[in-house]
């Protein structure tokens, strides 16, 4: 194998590792956003479970205010009964009192129904709270692992970048330039094997002439189709 090819293969292996690290780093914000959405969804589910309970509370408070108002009304009617001397007025007031008492009974019945519903909601709310706590914990663990992964990836990136100069020493400048351009434009694959006359990069048949040149191992040969640097598998 040509010594340049050997060096470039080592460099390519390193560069592919760095490329993988950078790709992973680039994907982290998306992963974090997904975790954030999970967090939000867990909150929403708990909120939905709580909303009926809140509605019931609001309605019960309203009913209690109404009951109080009716009770006050009854007290006023009773005072008026004490003050009146007219029989007609007295019975009219008694009728009003009976009506108000009937309304109070209806309001209290409605309140009872609501209390029963609130009671029946308790287990499902409890379950929703437990599920919420478990989900939050899971997401928090994921978040923490994302932070650790980011730290590890950053460290790996620095390491690979710091070591790169030592892997390019001795490689001809033009060849390195050619390699760099190929690596960038060909998805991180600048050097490929040619097997059974086919380029492993583009899967196209390579010309007979090119195959002979690769086999001769005298110069760097590019694939006539995709331009990648060809070498014979060892
Ligand atoms: Zn090719």
């Amino acid at each position: 194998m040509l010594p340049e090819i050997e060096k470039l293969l080592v460099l390519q292996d390193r560069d592919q590792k760095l490329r993988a690290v950078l790709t992973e780093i680039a994907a982290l914000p998306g992963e974090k956003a997904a975790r954030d959405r999970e967090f939000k969804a867990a909150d929403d589910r708990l909120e939905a479970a709580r909303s009926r309970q809140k509605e019931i509370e609001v309605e019960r408070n309203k009913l209690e205010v109404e009951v109080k108002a009716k009770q006050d009304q009854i007290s006023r009617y009773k005072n008026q009964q004490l003050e009146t001397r007219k029989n007609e007025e007295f019975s009219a007031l008694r009728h009003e009192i009976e009506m108000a008492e009937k309304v109070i009974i209806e309001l209290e019945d409605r309140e009872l129904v609501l209390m029963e519903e609130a009671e029946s909601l308790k287990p499902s709310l409890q379950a929703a709270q437990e599920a919420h706590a478990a989900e939050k914990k899971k997401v928090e663990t994921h978040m923490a692992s994302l932070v650790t992964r980011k730290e590890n990836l950053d460290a790996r990136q620095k390491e690979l970048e710091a070591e790169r100069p030592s892997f390019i020493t001795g490689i001809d400048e033009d060849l390195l330039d050619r390699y760099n351009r190929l690596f960038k434009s060909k998805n991180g694959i600048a050097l490929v094997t040619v097997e059974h006359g086919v380029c492993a990069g583009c899967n196209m048949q390579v010309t007979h002439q090119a195959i002979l040149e690769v086999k001769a191992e005298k110069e760097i040969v590019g694939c006539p189709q995709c331009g990648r640097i060809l070498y014979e598998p060892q």
Side-chain angles (χ1 to χ4, degrees):
M1 189 182 272
L2 275 171
E4 291 98 320
I5 294 280
E6 258 177 71
K7 280 186 178 172
L8 284 177
L9 279 174
V10 174
L11 179 63
Q12 176 168 269
D13 179 58
R14 302 279 305 181
D15 283 348
Q16 282 172 348
K17 285 191 175 103
L18 177 59
R19 195 171 186 267
V21 165
L22 293 175
T23 306
E24 236 185 293
I25 289 174
L28 289 176
E31 277 189 49
K32 190 184 174 297
R35 295 292 97 85
D36 283 336
R37 283 195 295 277
E38 282 177 20
F39 226 87
K40 172 86 174 54
D43 282 347
D44 289 349
R45 274 193 291 277
L46 181 61
E47 201 42 48
R50 276 179 177 159
S51 74
R52 180 63 195 140
Q53 206 199 31
K54 277 185 188 161
E55 277 171 20
I56 290 172
E57 218 170 293
V58 169
E59 205 182 331
R60 278 186 63 191
N61 288 338
K62 222 178 95 195
L63 289 173
E64 272 163 32
V65 170
E66 283 175 38
V67 168
K68 180 77 179 51
K70 283 289 162 196
Q71 283 167 343
D72 290 347
Q73 213 175 29
I74 291 170
S75 305
R76 278 198 307 276
Y77 290 148
K78 283 185 175 167
N79 282 336
Q80 283 170 8
Q81 273 184 328
L82 290 176
E83 283 161 16
T84 187
R85 290 176 199 285
K86 292 174 191 160
N87 274 343
E88 274 166 41
E89 211 179 311
F90 191 90
S91 12
L93 284 164
R94 195 182 58 206
H95 179 69
E96 289 297 330
I97 291 168
E98 280 168 6
M99 297 277 284
E101 279 169 349
K102 238 175 104 183
V103 172
I104 288 178
I105 289 169
E106 279 165 15
L107 291 171
E108 283 173 347
D109 283 349
R110 173 74 191 134
E111 216 184 331
L112 262 176
V113 171
L114 288 174
M115 277 165 77
E116 274 164 21
E117 194 189 341
E119 202 57 37
S120 73
L121 283 175
K122 271 185 185 168
S124 59
L125 190 64
Q126 173 82 16
Q129 268 164 340
E130 278 163 17
H132 180 258
E135 280 170 61
K136 282 234 157 172
K137 205 170 169 204
K138 208 176 95 188
V139 177
E140 270 162 12
T141 312
H142 274 155
M143 285 286 196
S145 80
L146 275 184
V147 173
T148 316
R149 247 172 70 207
K150 173 90 168 74
E151 283 167 3
N152 291 341
L153 287 167
D154 285 346
R156 185 76 181 122
Q157 180 193 350
K158 277 207 186 91
E159 190 188 333
L160 286 164
E161 281 172 351
E163 286 169 2
R164 194 172 191 269
S166 67
F167 287 95
I168 60 173
T169 34
I171 301 174
D172 171 76
E173 214 173 294
D174 287 342
L175 178 60
L176 182 64
D177 202 44
R178 182 175 168 187
Y179 160 85
N180 284 337
R181 271 185 283 117
L182 281 168
F183 189 86
K184 215 173 163 184
S185 64
K186 304 292 176 191
N187 286 325
I189 306 164
L191 282 84
V192 288
T193 56
V194 53
E195 275 182 277
H196 309 296
V198 172
C199 162
C202 62
N203 293 315
M204 299 288 277
Q205 197 77 36
V206 176
T207 57
H208 187 63
Q209 179 62 30
I211 295 168
L212 288 179
E213 284 168 7
V214 172
K215 279 188 193 294
E217 294 189 337
K218 292 249 160 44
E219 58 184 327
I220 301 292
V221 185
C223 167
Q225 308 292 340
C226 68
R228 290 187 181 92
I229 297 165
L230 300 170
Y231 68 96
E232 277 240 289
Q234 301 294 298

PDB file of all heavy atoms in Angstrom, residues 21 25 149-161:
ATOM      1  N   VAL A  21     -18.721  12.593  16.482  1.00  0.00           N
ATOM      2  CA  VAL A  21     -18.863  13.359  17.731  1.00  0.00           C
ATOM      3  C   VAL A  21     -19.614  14.658  17.449  1.00  0.00           C
ATOM      4  O   VAL A  21     -20.548  15.022  18.166  1.00  0.00           O
ATOM      5  CB  VAL A  21     -17.472  13.640  18.352  1.00  0.00           C
ATOM      6  CG1 VAL A  21     -17.561  14.720  19.422  1.00  0.00           C
ATOM      7  CG2 VAL A  21     -16.883  12.367  18.943  1.00  0.00           C
ATOM      8  N   ILE A  25     -23.183  15.964  18.878  1.00  0.00           N
ATOM      9  CA  ILE A  25     -23.320  17.252  19.589  1.00  0.00           C
ATOM     10  C   ILE A  25     -24.445  18.073  18.942  1.00  0.00           C
ATOM     11  O   ILE A  25     -25.267  18.664  19.639  1.00  0.00           O
ATOM     12  CB  ILE A  25     -21.986  18.040  19.582  1.00  0.00           C
ATOM     13  CG1 ILE A  25     -20.964  17.354  20.505  1.00  0.00           C
ATOM     14  CG2 ILE A  25     -22.206  19.484  20.029  1.00  0.00           C
ATOM     15  CD1 ILE A  25     -19.561  17.942  20.470  1.00  0.00           C
ATOM     16  N   ARG A 149     -23.487  13.669  28.742  1.00  0.00           N
ATOM     17  CA  ARG A 149     -23.077  13.284  27.387  1.00  0.00           C
ATOM     18  C   ARG A 149     -22.428  14.458  26.661  1.00  0.00           C
ATOM     19  O   ARG A 149     -21.432  14.307  25.970  1.00  0.00           O
ATOM     20  CB  ARG A 149     -24.286  12.777  26.602  1.00  0.00           C
ATOM     21  CG  ARG A 149     -24.156  11.298  26.295  1.00  0.00           C
ATOM     22  CD  ARG A 149     -25.412  10.743  25.693  1.00  0.00           C
ATOM     23  NE  ARG A 149     -25.651  11.221  24.359  1.00  0.00           N
ATOM     24  CZ  ARG A 149     -26.874  11.316  23.817  1.00  0.00           C
ATOM     25  NH1 ARG A 149     -27.925  10.980  24.512  1.00  0.00           N
ATOM     26  NH2 ARG A 149     -27.029  11.742  22.596  1.00  0.00           N
ATOM     27  N   LYS A 150     -23.040  15.629  26.841  1.00  0.00           N
ATOM     28  CA  LYS A 150     -22.484  16.835  26.201  1.00  0.00           C
ATOM     29  C   LYS A 150     -21.060  17.089  26.697  1.00  0.00           C
ATOM     30  O   LYS A 150     -20.164  17.378  25.894  1.00  0.00           O
ATOM     31  CB  LYS A 150     -23.399  18.029  26.518  1.00  0.00           C
ATOM     32  CG  LYS A 150     -22.871  19.381  26.071  1.00  0.00           C
ATOM     33  CD  LYS A 150     -23.320  19.707  24.660  1.00  0.00           C
ATOM     34  CE  LYS A 150     -23.062  21.160  24.285  1.00  0.00           C
ATOM     35  NZ  LYS A 150     -21.654  21.469  24.018  1.00  0.00           N
ATOM     36  N   GLU A 151     -20.849  16.952  27.986  1.00  0.00           N
ATOM     37  CA  GLU A 151     -19.512  17.171  28.553  1.00  0.00           C
ATOM     38  C   GLU A 151     -18.509  16.179  27.967  1.00  0.00           C
ATOM     39  O   GLU A 151     -17.410  16.551  27.560  1.00  0.00           O
ATOM     40  CB  GLU A 151     -19.550  17.011  30.084  1.00  0.00           C
ATOM     41  CG  GLU A 151     -20.155  18.214  30.791  1.00  0.00           C
ATOM     42  CD  GLU A 151     -20.491  17.947  32.255  1.00  0.00           C
ATOM     43  OE1 GLU A 151     -20.188  16.824  32.746  1.00  0.00           O
ATOM     44  OE2 GLU A 151     -21.068  18.837  32.883  1.00  0.00           O
ATOM     45  N   ASN A 152     -18.917  14.917  27.912  1.00  0.00           N
ATOM     46  CA  ASN A 152     -18.032  13.879  27.373  1.00  0.00           C
ATOM     47  C   ASN A 152     -17.717  14.118  25.903  1.00  0.00           C
ATOM     48  O   ASN A 152     -16.568  13.964  25.473  1.00  0.00           O
ATOM     49  CB  ASN A 152     -18.673  12.496  27.532  1.00  0.00           C
ATOM     50  CG  ASN A 152     -18.737  12.065  28.982  1.00  0.00           C
ATOM     51  OD1 ASN A 152     -18.016  12.603  29.818  1.00  0.00           O
ATOM     52  ND2 ASN A 152     -19.597  11.103  29.293  1.00  0.00           N
ATOM     53  N   LEU A 153     -18.761  14.505  25.148  1.00  0.00           N
ATOM     54  CA  LEU A 153     -18.566  14.739  23.719  1.00  0.00           C
ATOM     55  C   LEU A 153     -17.660  15.945  23.477  1.00  0.00           C
ATOM     56  O   LEU A 153     -16.793  15.911  22.604  1.00  0.00           O
ATOM     57  CB  LEU A 153     -19.924  14.953  23.026  1.00  0.00           C
ATOM     58  CG  LEU A 153     -20.789  13.698  22.862  1.00  0.00           C
ATOM     59  CD1 LEU A 153     -22.208  14.072  22.456  1.00  0.00           C
ATOM     60  CD2 LEU A 153     -20.186  12.757  21.822  1.00  0.00           C
ATOM     61  N   ASP A 154     -17.864  17.004  24.274  1.00  0.00           N
ATOM     62  CA  ASP A 154     -17.017  18.191  24.135  1.00  0.00           C
ATOM     63  C   ASP A 154     -15.556  17.841  24.401  1.00  0.00           C
ATOM     64  O   ASP A 154     -14.657  18.285  23.677  1.00  0.00           O
ATOM     65  CB  ASP A 154     -17.470  19.282  25.121  1.00  0.00           C
ATOM     66  CG  ASP A 154     -18.754  19.968  24.661  1.00  0.00           C
ATOM     67  OD1 ASP A 154     -19.131  19.792  23.489  1.00  0.00           O
ATOM     68  OD2 ASP A 154     -19.373  20.672  25.479  1.00  0.00           O
ATOM     69  N   ALA A 155     -15.349  17.033  25.441  1.00  0.00           N
ATOM     70  CA  ALA A 155     -13.980  16.630  25.795  1.00  0.00           C
ATOM     71  C   ALA A 155     -13.365  15.807  24.667  1.00  0.00           C
ATOM     72  O   ALA A 155     -12.202  16.001  24.282  1.00  0.00           O
ATOM     73  CB  ALA A 155     -14.005  15.829  27.094  1.00  0.00           C
ATOM     74  N   ARG A 156     -14.184  14.882  24.115  1.00  0.00           N
ATOM     75  CA  ARG A 156     -13.704  14.018  23.022  1.00  0.00           C
ATOM     76  C   ARG A 156     -13.369  14.855  21.791  1.00  0.00           C
ATOM     77  O   ARG A 156     -12.372  14.609  21.116  1.00  0.00           O
ATOM     78  CB  ARG A 156     -14.788  12.979  22.708  1.00  0.00           C
ATOM     79  CG  ARG A 156     -14.397  11.943  21.695  1.00  0.00           C
ATOM     80  CD  ARG A 156     -13.468  10.889  22.264  1.00  0.00           C
ATOM     81  NE  ARG A 156     -13.103   9.917  21.227  1.00  0.00           N
ATOM     82  CZ  ARG A 156     -11.851   9.660  20.859  1.00  0.00           C
ATOM     83  NH1 ARG A 156     -10.849  10.247  21.471  1.00  0.00           N
ATOM     84  NH2 ARG A 156     -11.606   8.785  19.904  1.00  0.00           N
ATOM     85  N   GLN A 157     -14.235  15.838  21.514  1.00  0.00           N
ATOM     86  CA  GLN A 157     -14.000  16.724  20.363  1.00  0.00           C
ATOM     87  C   GLN A 157     -12.667  17.456  20.515  1.00  0.00           C
ATOM     88  O   GLN A 157     -11.853  17.475  19.583  1.00  0.00           O
ATOM     89  CB  GLN A 157     -15.147  17.745  20.247  1.00  0.00           C
ATOM     90  CG  GLN A 157     -14.967  18.708  19.073  1.00  0.00           C
ATOM     91  CD  GLN A 157     -15.905  19.911  19.131  1.00  0.00           C
ATOM     92  OE1 GLN A 157     -16.824  19.956  19.953  1.00  0.00           O
ATOM     93  NE2 GLN A 157     -15.683  20.872  18.259  1.00  0.00           N
ATOM     94  N   LYS A 158     -12.448  18.025  21.675  1.00  0.00           N
ATOM     95  CA  LYS A 158     -11.206  18.774  21.944  1.00  0.00           C
ATOM     96  C   LYS A 158      -9.990  17.871  21.739  1.00  0.00           C
ATOM     97  O   LYS A 158      -9.007  18.254  21.130  1.00  0.00           O
ATOM     98  CB  LYS A 158     -11.219  19.292  23.382  1.00  0.00           C
ATOM     99  CG  LYS A 158     -11.980  20.592  23.536  1.00  0.00           C
ATOM    100  CD  LYS A 158     -11.457  21.402  24.732  1.00  0.00           C
ATOM    101  CE  LYS A 158     -12.315  22.630  24.978  1.00  0.00           C
ATOM    102  NZ  LYS A 158     -13.413  22.372  25.913  1.00  0.00           N
ATOM    103  N   GLU A 159     -10.108  16.664  22.282  1.00  0.00           N
ATOM    104  CA  GLU A 159      -9.019  15.698  22.215  1.00  0.00           C
ATOM    105  C   GLU A 159      -8.695  15.363  20.749  1.00  0.00           C
ATOM    106  O   GLU A 159      -7.529  15.410  20.334  1.00  0.00           O
ATOM    107  CB  GLU A 159      -9.489  14.447  22.971  1.00  0.00           C
ATOM    108  CG  GLU A 159      -8.433  13.408  23.232  1.00  0.00           C
ATOM    109  CD  GLU A 159      -9.072  12.142  23.821  1.00  0.00           C
ATOM    110  OE1 GLU A 159     -10.135  12.244  24.469  1.00  0.00           O
ATOM    111  OE2 GLU A 159      -8.514  11.062  23.585  1.00  0.00           O
ATOM    112  N   LEU A 160      -9.746  15.042  19.985  1.00  0.00           N
ATOM    113  CA  LEU A 160      -9.538  14.672  18.582  1.00  0.00           C
ATOM    114  C   LEU A 160      -8.962  15.826  17.779  1.00  0.00           C
ATOM    115  O   LEU A 160      -8.083  15.632  16.927  1.00  0.00           O
ATOM    116  CB  LEU A 160     -10.859  14.198  17.965  1.00  0.00           C
ATOM    117  CG  LEU A 160     -11.341  12.805  18.388  1.00  0.00           C
ATOM    118  CD1 LEU A 160     -12.807  12.610  18.045  1.00  0.00           C
ATOM    119  CD2 LEU A 160     -10.498  11.709  17.734  1.00  0.00           C
ATOM    120  N   GLU A 161      -9.450  17.025  18.050  1.00  0.00           N
ATOM    121  CA  GLU A 161      -8.967  18.189  17.320  1.00  0.00           C
ATOM    122  C   GLU A 161      -7.513  18.501  17.679  1.00  0.00           C
ATOM    123  O   GLU A 161      -6.725  18.873  16.813  1.00  0.00           O
ATOM    124  CB  GLU A 161      -9.869  19.406  17.613  1.00  0.00           C
ATOM    125  CG  GLU A 161     -11.163  19.363  16.802  1.00  0.00           C
ATOM    126  CD  GLU A 161     -12.177  20.435  17.207  1.00  0.00           C
ATOM    127  OE1 GLU A 161     -11.961  21.116  18.225  1.00  0.00           O
ATOM    128  OE2 GLU A 161     -13.189  20.563  16.498  1.00  0.00           O
TER     129      GLU A 161
END
